[in-house]
Amino acid sequence: MKKTNTTQHSGILGCIGNTPLIRLNRIFSNSNVQLYGKLEMFNPGGSIKDRTALNIVKHAVEKGIVNKNSTIVESTSGNMGIGLARICHYYKLPLILVTDPHVNSLTVSILKAFNAQIVKVDKHDGKGGYLNTRLAKVQQLLREIPLSFWPDQYHNEDNPSAHESTFLEILQTLRKAPDYIFVSTSTCGTLRGLGDAISKYGAHTKIIAVDAVGSVIFGDTPSKRIIPGMGAGRPSSFLDIRQVKDVVLIPDVESVEGCRHLLQTESILAGGSSGAVIKAVEKKLDQIPAGSTIVAIMADNGERYLETIYCEEWVKQNF
């Protein structure tokens, strides 16, 4: 009988991490680089935020900061909420999520299935999005709700520390450090975690940060952004610019183009930030030495974007 590689996990949370790293042979077939995609959509919640949510909640429980009487309150544009929703459901912890008009209907349905309570703000924060408005609402809820806990993905060091394992998985699969990692930015937790791991293990890997046009993370002028999960209306507390080799700003329309190019060539249905990462790779290819190894972090699944990025009517209305 042929042997198969199987792993037994103790509960659904054991499935978080160890996501596939695959060679992308088709999308830039004429290039002289080795391009790989780290498919974070294979986490149970469909995104890299599963790693962050688990690391934060697990450590809070272990430290006694969170117990059976706690209520978790967090701001989210979608993926962090889904990660928290499953984990809080597993730990039997009440969860309140503050969202905004950019959260899509499928995400809302998933959150409700896990019994998360949703509070939606609709006041624009004047910085290209709703982040500051969401955070103000979170602070209000924390004052009103006894024994509430804020995971605070924007400042909690358990966010970046979750991604040492992400880098180690890449090392183990490639059996070497990649020359470049392209990663989208929002809280900058993934970027910081990868940067810390690169330094810790003495790797030569260069990080290329991918941000949205209109995001203030790297000093761009704030403007309207409609693709969730990338960019921010306030500076990141995690960003260490010394860890960043270069920054590529991608407008929303190019994120859509990148998603569709990835789907057409590699049959990968990915979220908006992955499309931005693909466009960033395309823009930098002529500056990257032949034979280089590139890892593109593909943060989430595209199924939640079927009514937006992959919908012709929505694209025509917005672009």
Side-chain angles (χ1 to χ4, degrees):
M1 179 181 292
K2 183 179 178 180
K3 292 184 178 180
T4 58
N5 294 321
T6 59
T7 302
Q8 185 180 64
H9 298 286
S10 179
I12 187 64
L13 304 189
C15 298
I16 295 173
N18 293 308
T19 54
L21 182 73
I22 67 166
R23 180 73 184 270
L24 303 177
N25 293 308
R26 297 177 175 182
I27 192 161
F28 302 122
S29 58
N30 295 325
S31 71
N32 294 314
V33 302
Q34 300 174 50
L35 176 62
Y36 295 84
K38 181 66 167 163
L39 304 187
E40 289 298 301
M41 68 275 287
F42 277 76
N43 283 303
S47 88
I48 198 167
K49 291 292 190 177
D50 276 13
R51 297 179 187 262
T52 306
L54 177 60
N55 208 44
I56 290 175
V57 175
K58 180 177 70 173
H59 285 168
V61 170
E62 290 171 351
K63 295 171 184 176
I65 300 170
V66 167
N67 58 45
K68 63 180 181 179
N69 298 313
S70 302
T71 297
I72 312 301
V73 182
E74 182 60 294
S75 157
T76 181
S77 59
N79 287 329
M80 182 65 173
I82 290 175
L84 282 172
R86 183 189 303 274
I87 291 158
C88 288
H89 189 274
Y90 189 85
Y91 280 111
K92 301 187 185 306
L93 295 168
L95 173 65
I96 300 175
L97 293 168
V98 180
T99 67
D100 60 54
H102 287 165
V103 68
N104 63 62
S105 59
L106 179 56
T107 294
V108 171
S109 296
I110 294 170
L111 296 175
K112 289 181 177 179
F114 283 106
N115 297 328
Q117 180 181 340
I118 299 170
V119 176
K120 187 177 288 187
V121 300
D122 55 12
K123 183 180 178 181
H124 202 278
D125 64 10
K127 298 289 186 179
Y130 297 86
L131 176 57
N132 293 305
T133 308
R134 294 201 317 254
L135 291 176
K137 188 64 176 180
V138 166
Q139 294 305 311
Q140 177 190 334
L141 292 170
L142 292 172
R143 291 191 297 269
E144 295 173 351
I145 301 170
L147 302 176
S148 53
F149 170 73
W150 182 26
D152 190 7
Q153 60 173 313
Y154 310 97
H155 301 94
N156 192 327
E157 291 295 331
D158 286 333
N159 177 350
S161 70
H163 299 291
E164 178 178 347
S165 64
T166 310
F167 185 70
L168 287 176
E169 290 167 21
I170 294 170
L171 283 182
Q172 291 163 2
T173 305
L174 291 180
R175 298 183 180 178
K176 64 176 183 178
D179 297 299
Y180 296 87
I181 292 180
F182 282 68
V183 57
S184 62
T185 55
S186 181
T187 67
C188 290
T190 305
L191 187 157
R192 176 63 179 273
L194 292 171
D196 288 349
I198 288 167
S199 177
K200 179 177 179 178
Y201 294 99
H204 62 261
T205 307
K206 300 176 181 67
I207 292 179
I208 309 297
V210 183
D211 198 17
V213 169
S215 165
V216 306
I217 295 172
F218 294 97
D220 196 29
T221 302
S223 61
K224 182 180 179 181
R225 293 171 284 107
I226 59 174
I227 303 295
M230 189 174 73
R234 59 188 291 169
S236 167
S237 67
F238 295 132
L239 179 62
D240 182 347
I241 198 65
R242 296 171 298 178
Q243 296 179 331
V244 179
K245 175 65 176 178
D246 202 357
V247 179
V248 184
L249 299 181
I250 303 294
D252 284 347
V253 66
E254 291 189 7
S255 295
V256 174
E257 293 169 0
C259 284
R260 293 181 172 212
H261 190 195
L262 183 64
L263 176 59
Q264 291 164 2
T265 55
E266 302 284 356
S267 300
I268 295 174
L269 189 70
S273 65
S274 298
V277 165
I278 288 298
K279 291 299 289 189
V281 172
E282 180 183 341
K283 290 174 184 285
K284 300 297 291 185
L285 270 178
D286 62 353
Q287 301 172 36
I288 293 177
S292 295
T293 302
I294 301 171
V295 171
I297 304 294
M298 299 189 172
D300 66 348
N301 198 309
E303 292 179 2
R304 294 164 200 159
Y305 302 82
L306 292 176
E307 296 179 351
T308 54
I309 288 172
Y310 297 99
C311 173
E312 291 294 339
E313 183 178 351
W314 183 88
V315 172
K316 289 177 181 178
Q317 289 176 349
N318 288 278
F319 302 108

